[in-house]
Amino acid sequence: MKILSIQSAVAYGHVGNSAAVFPLQRIGVDVLPVYTVNFSNHTGYGAWKGPLIAPDDVAAVIEGIQERGAFPQIDAVLSGYQGSEGIADVVIDAVARVKAANPAAVYACDPVMGNAKSGCFVAPAIPVLLREKVVPVADIITPNQFELGFLTGTEPDTIESTLASADEARAMGPSTVLVTSVERPDREPGTIEMLVVDDAGAWIVQTPQLPMKANGSGDVTAALFTAHYIESKDAATALARTASSVFDLLDNTLNSGERELQLVASQEAYAHPRMQFAVRQVR
Protein backbone atom coordinates (compact mmCIF):
# COMPACT_ATOMS: atom_id res chain seq x y z
CA MET A 1 0.00 0.00 0.00
CA LYS A 2 1.21 3.51 -0.85
CA ILE A 3 -0.16 6.70 0.75
CA LEU A 4 0.64 10.24 -0.34
CA SER A 5 0.45 12.22 2.91
CA ILE A 6 0.24 16.02 2.63
CA GLN A 7 0.66 17.44 6.12
CA SER A 8 2.76 19.57 8.42
CA ALA A 9 6.12 18.44 9.80
CA VAL A 10 7.95 19.23 13.03
CA ALA A 11 11.47 18.37 14.12
CA TYR A 12 10.68 18.15 17.84
CA GLY A 13 7.71 16.02 18.83
CA HIS A 14 5.07 14.35 16.73
CA VAL A 15 2.24 16.06 14.85
CA GLY A 16 1.17 16.01 11.21
CA ASN A 17 3.42 13.88 9.06
CA SER A 18 5.82 13.64 11.98
CA ALA A 19 3.04 11.70 13.76
CA ALA A 20 1.48 9.84 10.83
CA VAL A 21 4.42 8.51 8.84
CA PHE A 22 6.12 6.16 11.31
CA PRO A 23 2.96 4.31 12.48
CA LEU A 24 2.01 3.78 8.83
CA GLN A 25 5.46 2.51 7.97
CA ARG A 26 5.40 0.20 11.00
CA ILE A 27 2.30 -1.55 9.61
CA GLY A 28 3.87 -1.90 6.18
CA VAL A 29 2.62 1.16 4.35
CA ASP A 30 4.93 2.95 1.91
CA VAL A 31 4.42 6.65 2.71
CA LEU A 32 5.25 9.55 0.43
CA PRO A 33 5.30 12.54 2.82
CA VAL A 34 4.82 16.05 1.48
CA TYR A 35 5.25 18.89 3.98
CA THR A 36 3.06 21.99 4.24
CA VAL A 37 5.13 23.53 7.07
CA ASN A 38 8.56 22.69 8.45
CA PHE A 39 8.49 23.84 12.07
CA SER A 40 10.77 23.22 15.01
CA ASN A 41 7.79 22.09 17.11
CA HIS A 42 3.99 22.31 17.12
CA THR A 43 2.39 25.66 17.76
CA GLY A 44 0.85 24.58 21.07
CA TYR A 45 4.08 25.62 22.75
CA GLY A 46 3.37 29.24 21.85
CA ALA A 47 6.74 29.67 20.14
CA TRP A 48 8.28 27.90 17.17
CA LYS A 49 10.75 28.39 14.36
CA GLY A 50 10.66 27.50 10.70
CA PRO A 51 8.67 28.26 7.57
CA LEU A 52 5.23 27.77 6.21
CA ILE A 53 5.87 26.20 2.82
CA ALA A 54 4.35 28.18 -0.02
CA PRO A 55 1.52 26.40 -1.86
CA ASP A 56 3.46 26.61 -5.14
CA ASP A 57 6.39 24.82 -3.51
CA VAL A 58 4.12 22.12 -2.09
CA ALA A 59 2.60 21.68 -5.54
CA ALA A 60 6.08 21.45 -7.09
CA VAL A 61 7.03 18.59 -4.77
CA ILE A 62 3.83 16.73 -5.69
CA GLU A 63 4.50 17.36 -9.38
CA GLY A 64 7.98 15.91 -8.97
CA ILE A 65 6.49 12.77 -7.42
CA GLN A 66 4.12 12.50 -10.37
CA GLU A 67 7.04 12.84 -12.79
CA ARG A 68 8.66 9.80 -11.17
CA GLY A 69 5.62 7.77 -12.26
CA ALA A 70 4.37 7.10 -8.73
CA PHE A 71 0.73 8.12 -9.05
CA PRO A 72 -0.68 4.86 -10.52
CA GLN A 73 0.60 3.00 -7.43
CA ILE A 74 -0.84 5.41 -4.84
CA ASP A 75 -3.79 3.90 -2.95
CA ALA A 76 -4.72 6.97 -0.92
CA VAL A 77 -4.09 10.66 -0.48
CA LEU A 78 -4.13 11.75 3.16
CA SER A 79 -4.31 15.36 4.34
CA GLY A 80 -4.43 16.98 7.76
CA TYR A 81 -3.61 20.42 9.15
CA GLN A 82 -3.51 23.00 6.36
CA GLY A 83 -1.11 25.75 7.27
CA SER A 84 -2.28 28.31 4.72
CA GLU A 85 -5.35 28.95 2.60
CA GLY A 86 -3.68 28.01 -0.68
CA ILE A 87 -2.96 24.44 0.43
CA ALA A 88 -6.59 23.41 -0.12
CA ASP A 89 -6.33 23.92 -3.87
CA VAL A 90 -3.02 22.03 -3.96
CA VAL A 91 -4.56 19.06 -2.13
CA ILE A 92 -7.66 19.02 -4.35
CA ASP A 93 -5.48 19.12 -7.47
CA ALA A 94 -3.28 16.30 -6.14
CA VAL A 95 -6.34 14.17 -5.44
CA ALA A 96 -7.63 14.71 -8.97
CA ARG A 97 -4.26 13.80 -10.48
CA VAL A 98 -3.86 10.67 -8.37
CA LYS A 99 -7.38 9.48 -9.13
CA ALA A 100 -6.84 10.08 -12.85
CA ALA A 101 -3.83 7.77 -12.65
CA ASN A 102 -5.51 5.27 -10.31
CA PRO A 103 -9.32 5.45 -10.22
CA ALA A 104 -9.38 3.09 -7.22
CA ALA A 105 -7.43 5.55 -5.04
CA VAL A 106 -9.25 7.27 -2.18
CA TYR A 107 -8.86 10.62 -0.50
CA ALA A 108 -8.89 10.72 3.31
CA CYS A 109 -9.25 14.19 4.81
CA ASP A 110 -8.73 14.99 8.47
CA PRO A 111 -10.53 18.37 8.62
CA VAL A 112 -8.41 19.90 11.37
CA MET A 113 -10.06 22.99 12.86
CA GLY A 114 -10.09 22.71 16.63
CA ASN A 115 -11.84 20.95 19.47
CA ALA A 116 -14.59 21.42 22.01
CA LYS A 117 -12.23 22.62 24.74
CA SER A 118 -10.07 25.04 22.74
CA GLY A 119 -12.45 26.09 19.96
CA CYS A 120 -11.03 26.74 16.48
CA PHE A 121 -7.26 27.15 16.35
CA VAL A 122 -6.78 27.59 12.61
CA ALA A 123 -7.06 30.72 10.44
CA PRO A 124 -10.69 31.80 10.03
CA ALA A 125 -10.74 30.99 6.31
CA ILE A 126 -9.61 27.37 6.76
CA PRO A 127 -12.84 25.88 8.20
CA VAL A 128 -14.87 27.45 5.39
CA LEU A 129 -12.48 26.11 2.76
CA LEU A 130 -12.64 22.66 4.31
CA ARG A 131 -16.43 22.65 4.39
CA GLU A 132 -17.05 24.13 0.96
CA LYS A 133 -14.17 22.84 -1.17
CA VAL A 134 -12.17 20.04 0.45
CA VAL A 135 -14.65 17.77 2.25
CA PRO A 136 -16.93 17.44 -0.82
CA VAL A 137 -14.12 15.73 -2.78
CA ALA A 138 -13.10 13.40 0.08
CA ASP A 139 -13.98 9.72 0.34
CA ILE A 140 -13.12 9.45 4.04
CA ILE A 141 -13.21 12.21 6.66
CA THR A 142 -12.09 11.92 10.27
CA PRO A 143 -13.45 14.93 12.20
CA ASN A 144 -13.75 15.08 15.96
CA GLN A 145 -17.23 15.71 17.30
CA PHE A 146 -16.65 19.48 17.42
CA GLU A 147 -15.42 19.59 13.81
CA LEU A 148 -18.34 17.45 12.64
CA GLY A 149 -20.71 19.99 14.16
CA PHE A 150 -19.06 22.86 12.32
CA LEU A 151 -19.03 21.04 8.99
CA THR A 152 -22.74 20.24 9.19
CA GLY A 153 -24.07 23.18 11.20
CA THR A 154 -25.38 20.78 13.84
CA GLU A 155 -24.74 20.09 17.52
CA PRO A 156 -23.99 16.36 17.79
CA ASP A 157 -23.95 14.99 21.33
CA THR A 158 -26.05 11.80 21.63
CA ILE A 159 -25.43 8.73 19.49
CA GLU A 160 -28.55 9.56 17.49
CA SER A 161 -27.60 13.18 16.81
CA THR A 162 -24.01 12.22 16.00
CA LEU A 163 -25.26 9.61 13.53
CA ALA A 164 -27.56 12.22 11.98
CA SER A 165 -24.68 14.69 11.70
CA ALA A 166 -22.47 12.02 10.14
CA ASP A 167 -25.21 11.34 7.59
CA GLU A 168 -25.31 15.04 6.75
CA ALA A 169 -21.54 15.00 6.29
CA ARG A 170 -21.83 11.96 4.03
CA ALA A 171 -24.41 13.81 1.95
CA MET A 172 -21.69 16.41 1.27
CA GLY A 173 -19.56 13.82 -0.56
CA PRO A 174 -17.58 11.46 1.69
CA SER A 175 -18.86 7.90 1.90
CA THR A 176 -17.10 7.18 5.20
CA VAL A 177 -17.08 9.35 8.34
CA LEU A 178 -14.99 8.52 11.40
CA VAL A 179 -15.98 10.72 14.34
CA THR A 180 -13.37 10.97 17.10
CA SER A 181 -13.65 12.37 20.64
CA VAL A 182 -17.34 11.52 20.92
CA GLU A 183 -18.55 12.61 24.35
CA ARG A 184 -22.25 11.90 24.89
CA PRO A 185 -23.95 12.82 28.15
CA ASP A 186 -25.13 9.27 28.89
CA ARG A 187 -21.81 7.48 28.36
CA GLU A 188 -20.12 5.64 31.20
CA PRO A 189 -18.11 8.02 33.41
CA GLY A 190 -14.43 8.22 32.48
CA THR A 191 -14.91 7.01 28.93
CA ILE A 192 -14.68 8.44 25.43
CA GLU A 193 -15.81 7.01 22.10
CA MET A 194 -15.18 6.87 18.37
CA LEU A 195 -17.92 6.22 15.84
CA VAL A 196 -17.68 5.28 12.18
CA VAL A 197 -20.41 5.38 9.53
CA ASP A 198 -20.23 4.05 5.99
CA ASP A 199 -22.57 2.47 3.44
CA ALA A 200 -22.62 -0.82 5.38
CA GLY A 201 -23.69 0.61 8.74
CA ALA A 202 -22.41 2.36 11.85
CA TRP A 203 -20.20 1.18 14.72
CA ILE A 204 -18.97 2.67 17.99
CA VAL A 205 -16.08 1.82 20.29
CA GLN A 206 -15.58 3.01 23.86
CA THR A 207 -12.24 3.36 25.66
CA PRO A 208 -11.14 4.90 28.95
CA GLN A 209 -10.67 8.67 28.73
CA LEU A 210 -7.13 9.39 29.85
CA PRO A 211 -6.40 12.63 31.78
CA MET A 212 -4.16 14.24 29.19
CA LYS A 213 -3.96 16.40 26.09
CA ALA A 214 -2.00 14.74 23.31
CA ASN A 215 -1.10 16.84 20.28
CA GLY A 216 -0.80 14.62 17.23
CA SER A 217 -3.04 11.79 18.40
CA GLY A 218 -5.69 12.77 15.86
CA ASP A 219 -3.08 12.61 13.10
CA VAL A 220 -2.13 9.08 14.13
CA THR A 221 -5.82 8.12 14.31
CA ALA A 222 -6.60 9.40 10.81
CA ALA A 223 -3.55 7.70 9.32
CA LEU A 224 -4.07 4.29 10.92
CA PHE A 225 -7.81 4.24 10.25
CA THR A 226 -7.25 5.09 6.58
CA ALA A 227 -4.72 2.30 6.12
CA HIS A 228 -6.74 -0.30 8.04
CA TYR A 229 -9.95 0.63 6.21
CA ILE A 230 -8.31 0.31 2.81
CA GLU A 231 -6.66 -2.99 3.74
CA SER A 232 -9.63 -4.63 5.48
CA LYS A 233 -12.48 -3.01 3.54
CA ASP A 234 -14.40 -3.23 6.83
CA ALA A 235 -15.21 -0.21 8.99
CA ALA A 236 -15.64 -2.18 12.22
CA THR A 237 -12.28 -3.91 11.85
CA ALA A 238 -10.53 -0.64 11.03
CA LEU A 239 -12.18 1.03 14.01
CA ALA A 240 -11.16 -1.73 16.43
CA ARG A 241 -7.55 -1.79 15.26
CA THR A 242 -7.24 1.99 15.36
CA ALA A 243 -8.82 2.37 18.80
CA SER A 244 -6.55 -0.29 20.26
CA SER A 245 -3.36 1.20 18.84
CA VAL A 246 -4.15 4.80 19.70
CA PHE A 247 -5.23 3.99 23.25
CA ASP A 248 -1.97 2.15 23.91
CA LEU A 249 -0.01 5.05 22.40
CA LEU A 250 -1.79 7.51 24.70
CA ASP A 251 -1.46 5.26 27.74
CA ASN A 252 2.27 4.85 27.12
CA THR A 253 2.61 8.61 26.75
CA LEU A 254 0.72 9.29 29.98
CA ASN A 255 2.82 6.77 31.90
CA SER A 256 6.04 8.27 30.53
CA GLY A 257 5.32 11.67 32.06
CA GLU A 258 6.37 13.29 28.78
CA ARG A 259 4.33 15.90 26.90
CA GLU A 260 5.07 14.55 23.42
CA LEU A 261 3.61 11.31 22.06
CA GLN A 262 5.78 8.28 22.73
CA LEU A 263 5.47 7.38 19.08
CA VAL A 264 8.50 5.15 18.61
CA ALA A 265 8.26 3.42 21.98
CA SER A 266 4.68 2.42 21.13
CA GLN A 267 5.47 0.78 17.80
CA GLU A 268 4.28 -2.69 18.81
CA ALA A 269 0.83 -1.21 19.42
CA TYR A 270 0.56 -0.39 15.71
CA ALA A 271 2.07 -3.61 14.41
CA HIS A 272 0.12 -5.89 16.75
CA PRO A 273 -3.01 -4.16 18.11
CA ARG A 274 -4.25 -5.86 21.27
CA MET A 275 -7.90 -5.50 20.12
CA GLN A 276 -8.88 -4.93 23.75
CA PHE A 277 -12.02 -2.89 23.06
CA ALA A 278 -15.31 -4.24 21.74
CA VAL A 279 -16.88 -2.56 18.72
CA ARG A 280 -20.66 -2.33 18.80
CA GLN A 281 -22.92 -1.87 15.80
CA VAL A 282 -25.38 0.98 16.33
CA ARG A 283 -27.10 0.91 12.94
Side-chain angles (χ1 to χ4, degrees):
M1 186 188 306
K2 289 183 185 290
I3 293 181
L4 176 67
S5 183
I6 308 169
Q7 302 195 54
S8 59
V10 296
Y12 178 85
H14 302 289
V15 299
N17 267 334
S18 302
V21 171
F22 177 68
L24 288 173
Q25 291 173 329
R26 189 63 182 84
I27 63 172
V29 177
D30 188 2
V31 187
L32 289 70
V34 176
Y35 302 146
T36 56
V37 309
N38 189 13
F39 288 167
S40 56
N41 51 270
H42 68 71
T43 59
Y45 284 96
W48 64 93
K49 304 290 186 181
L52 286 167
I53 299 176
D56 286 349
D57 291 332
V58 178
V61 172
I62 295 169
E63 184 176 0
I65 295 170
Q66 182 177 19
E67 290 172 355
R68 301 287 73 76
F71 280 13
Q73 288 79 46
I74 291 175
D75 299 288
V77 179
L78 174 66
S79 71
Y81 173 77
Q82 300 191 10
S84 62
E85 296 176 27
I87 296 299
D89 287 332
V90 174
V91 171
I92 292 168
D93 180 67
V95 169
R97 290 175 184 235
V98 167
K99 288 192 170 190
N102 178 15
V106 301
Y107 170 37
C109 170
D110 185 11
V112 178
M113 304 176 205
N115 56 61
K117 294 181 177 64
S118 304
C120 276
F121 50 64
V122 297
I126 297 295
V128 178
L129 282 170
L130 287 168
R131 182 178 61 204
E132 296 182 356
K133 297 184 68 173
V134 182
V135 166
V137 302
D139 301 290
I140 301 168
I141 60 171
T142 59
N144 60 38
Q145 196 172 28
F146 170 85
E147 292 161 341
L148 177 65
F150 180 88
L151 288 172
T152 58
T154 61
E155 295 184 5
D157 53 4
T158 64
I159 288 181
E160 292 75 17
S161 62
T162 303
L163 285 169
S165 296
D167 286 340
E168 291 198 31
R170 293 177 72 233
M172 297 167 64
S175 59
T176 304
V177 178
L178 173 70
V179 189
T180 64
S181 300
V182 175
E183 300 185 51
R184 55 189 173 94
D186 58 342
R187 73 189 189 281
E188 294 178 30
T191 64
I192 194 166
E193 294 167 319
M194 287 197 293
L195 181 146
V196 64
V197 184
D198 71 358
D199 292 340
W203 294 264
I204 197 166
V205 64
Q206 185 177 87
T207 71
Q209 184 171 22
L210 299 174
M212 63 184 297
K213 177 182 179 182
N215 295 91
S217 58
D219 303 320
V220 176
T221 301
L224 288 176
F225 178 81
T226 298
H228 288 314
Y229 189 65
I230 292 170
E231 189 274 330
S232 69
K233 298 179 175 59
D234 183 81
T237 298
L239 181 63
R241 291 175 180 172
T242 302
S244 177
S245 297
V246 173
F247 177 82
D248 282 346
L249 167 63
L250 293 176
D251 193 41
N252 291 342
T253 301
L254 178 64
N255 291 334
S256 75
E258 298 290 334
R259 174 173 179 172
E260 294 292 342
L261 290 176
Q262 298 302 290
L263 198 78
V264 176
S266 301
Q267 59 182 289
E268 284 303 301
Y270 324 134
H272 305 290
R274 289 191 293 145
M275 305 297 277
Q276 67 268 46
F277 303 110
V279 172
R280 177 168 61 94
Q281 188 164 10
V282 290
R283 192 172 65 193

